[in-house]
Amino acid sequence: MLDPELMMTNLFKRACLTLGAAAMLVPTVRAVHAEEISVTQWGNSLYGLPYAVAIDKGLFKKAGIDITGILSSGGGGTTVRNILASKTPYGEVAVSAALAAARQGMDIVIVNTGTRSVAEASMVTMPNGNVKSVEDLVGKKVAITSPKSVSEMLFMMVLRDKGIDPAKVTRVASGGYVNGMTMLEQGAVAGAVAIEPLSIVRKDKYRAVYRAGDVLRPMTTSVGITTREFAKAHPDALRAIIAGRRAGVEATYADPAGAAKIIETSFKLTPAVAKEAVDNMVRSHMWSTGEFDREELDRMVDGLKLVGEIKDNVDWSKLVDTSFLPADLKAKGKL
């Protein structure tokens, strides 16, 4: 992910609805029921690109399930609630949201991984300012989206990597990425967190202080979840969803230019922005095909501890069920 509190412009939200409507016009080619699933920050970030590709290319249908649309949400608990209330209770959520739901006693199980890179996250400053590096932020204010958010977590992890005491940098909750950039332009903060594709759209206005993917190692940022009840009652549907998404991931890596064309149309991005966004995420290997990596899961847990979102280690054996993954992904995983 990436950020549970991510706020983007209405342009992307309208684009999300456009893709959902277009997908519903695709004719059914086999006797499967039309379904909708939930993806965090759908239409706002590149988390959901493999789903868009899979819908566009009919890959879900080939896997045995007709996913006709994606339910959008602001992330976090909202996405989890949407999933639990859905006819087909499967969705991709931030790891922090999945862990929070489990702590609250919700009937969820993690069945695949989603994204595994923080390359879309960065911090920007004004081009004519005196902030040239992370070290230059000492004694200054920076805008994060909200306390304990992934944006704050990644910033804290970068500070730790650079050996900087986080108490020496004042973090200001802006309420969203665009809000933070407005604060930056008004001189209220010296830096502001950013995320793609927003950071690409606005790249001529700012200078990057750091890109998280250049500093931090890969970590699992989102996971696929469902209810234990649905997993038990509809295992074939769940396997088909995971297989269709995997096919979307593989198609994205095989043809980044084609994937860029899909979001160019559906997210209403310029060709240059769409291409740069997809190329950046392909280069960082953003999307997992579904297998689990214990080290990458634990790196996310380490970050969540850093901001006080969780206190203890996570017993993944109680939350993860790998039985719905194809055999090669089970063998490839390191859980």
Side-chain angles (χ1 to χ4, degrees), residues 147-188:
K148 297 185 179 182
S149 64
V150 172
S151 70
E152 182 182 31
M153 182 196 81
L154 295 178
F155 178 55
M156 295 276 282
M157 294 178 83
V158 169
L159 290 180
R160 183 177 64 182
D161 184 87
K162 299 293 185 180
I164 299 173
D165 182 353
K168 294 183 178 180
V169 183
T170 302
R171 301 181 297 282
V172 180
S174 67
Y177 289 102
V178 174
N179 297 356
M181 291 175 174
T182 299
M183 294 175 67
L184 177 64
E185 292 171 13
Q186 293 174 345

Side-chain angles (χ1 to χ4, degrees), residues 121-126 131 137 141-145 151 155 172 174 176-185 189-195 199 206-210:
S122 62
M123 177 164 286
V124 298
T125 189
M126 297 305 295
V131 174
L137 295 172
K141 296 179 180 180
V142 300
I144 58 169
T145 58
S151 70
F155 178 55
V172 180
S174 67
Y177 289 102
V178 174
N179 297 356
M181 291 175 174
T182 299
M183 294 175 67
L184 177 64
E185 292 171 13
V189 294
V193 292
I195 199 167
S199 58
Y206 312 114
R207 181 175 65 243
V209 180
Y210 67 80

Side-chain angles (χ1 to χ4, degrees), residues 284-301:
S284 66
H285 205 73
M286 178 182 188
W287 304 280
S288 164
T289 48
E291 69 277 8
F292 292 94
D293 186 308
R294 176 64 179 267
E295 291 182 357
E296 294 183 2
L297 284 165
D298 285 344
R299 283 184 201 128
M300 173 56 72
V301 171

Side-chain angles (χ1 to χ4, degrees), residues 55-306:
I55 289 174
D56 182 81
K57 295 183 176 297
L59 301 177
F60 282 117
K61 290 181 181 179
K62 291 180 181 179
I65 190 165
D66 188 11
I67 302 298
T68 58
I70 306 295
L71 299 173
S72 178
S73 75
T78 302
T79 303
V80 175
R81 288 189 291 273
N82 283 351
I83 292 168
L84 297 181
S86 175
K87 175 185 173 184
T88 305
Y90 170 88
E92 187 170 315
V93 302
V95 171
S96 57
L99 294 178
R103 289 197 303 272
Q104 294 166 16
M106 295 184 184
D107 173 38
I108 68 156
V109 60
I110 298 172
V111 293
N112 67 284
T113 58
T115 48
R116 53 173 301 277
S117 172
V118 294
E120 73 274 23
S122 62
M123 177 164 286
V124 298
T125 189
M126 297 305 295
N128 58 349
N130 58 4
V131 174
K132 308 292 185 181
S133 67
V134 179
E135 289 77 8
D136 292 334
L137 295 172
V138 172
K140 297 181 174 62
K141 296 179 180 180
V142 300
I144 58 169
T145 58
S146 62
K148 297 185 179 182
S149 64
V150 172
S151 70
E152 182 182 31
M153 182 196 81
L154 295 178
F155 178 55
M156 295 276 282
M157 294 178 83
V158 169
L159 290 180
R160 183 177 64 182
D161 184 87
K162 299 293 185 180
I164 299 173
D165 182 353
K168 294 183 178 180
V169 183
T170 302
R171 301 181 297 282
V172 180
S174 67
Y177 289 102
V178 174
N179 297 356
M181 291 175 174
T182 299
M183 294 175 67
L184 177 64
E185 292 171 13
Q186 293 174 345
V189 294
V193 292
I195 199 167
E196 293 190 15
L198 178 62
S199 58
I200 298 175
V201 173
R202 296 188 172 200
K203 68 179 181 179
D204 292 338
K205 299 181 67 174
Y206 312 114
R207 181 175 65 243
V209 180
Y210 67 80
R211 291 179 175 83
D214 294 337
V215 181
L216 304 176
R217 299 178 68 187
M219 65 186 79
T220 303
T221 48
S222 67
V223 289
I225 67 170
T226 188
T227 65
R228 295 183 186 276
E229 179 182 1
F230 182 81
K232 182 178 180 180
H234 303 284
D236 290 341
L238 189 54
R239 291 188 182 97
I241 293 171
I242 293 172
R245 180 197 171 277
R246 176 190 187 176
V249 170
E250 292 172 342
T252 299
Y253 287 138
D255 182 17
K261 282 292 184 182
I262 291 173
I263 65 166
E264 175 188 327
T265 301
S266 60
F267 288 10
K268 297 189 184 302
L269 299 174
T270 66
V273 169
K275 182 180 186 305
E276 183 175 350
V278 174
D279 285 348
N280 286 348
M281 296 305 101
V282 167
R283 189 178 305 112
S284 66
H285 205 73
M286 178 182 188
W287 304 280
S288 164
T289 48
E291 69 277 8
F292 292 94
D293 186 308
R294 176 64 179 267
E295 291 182 357
E296 294 183 2
L297 284 165
D298 285 344
R299 283 184 201 128
M300 173 56 72
V301 171
D302 181 51
L304 294 173
K305 287 181 181 178
L306 196 60

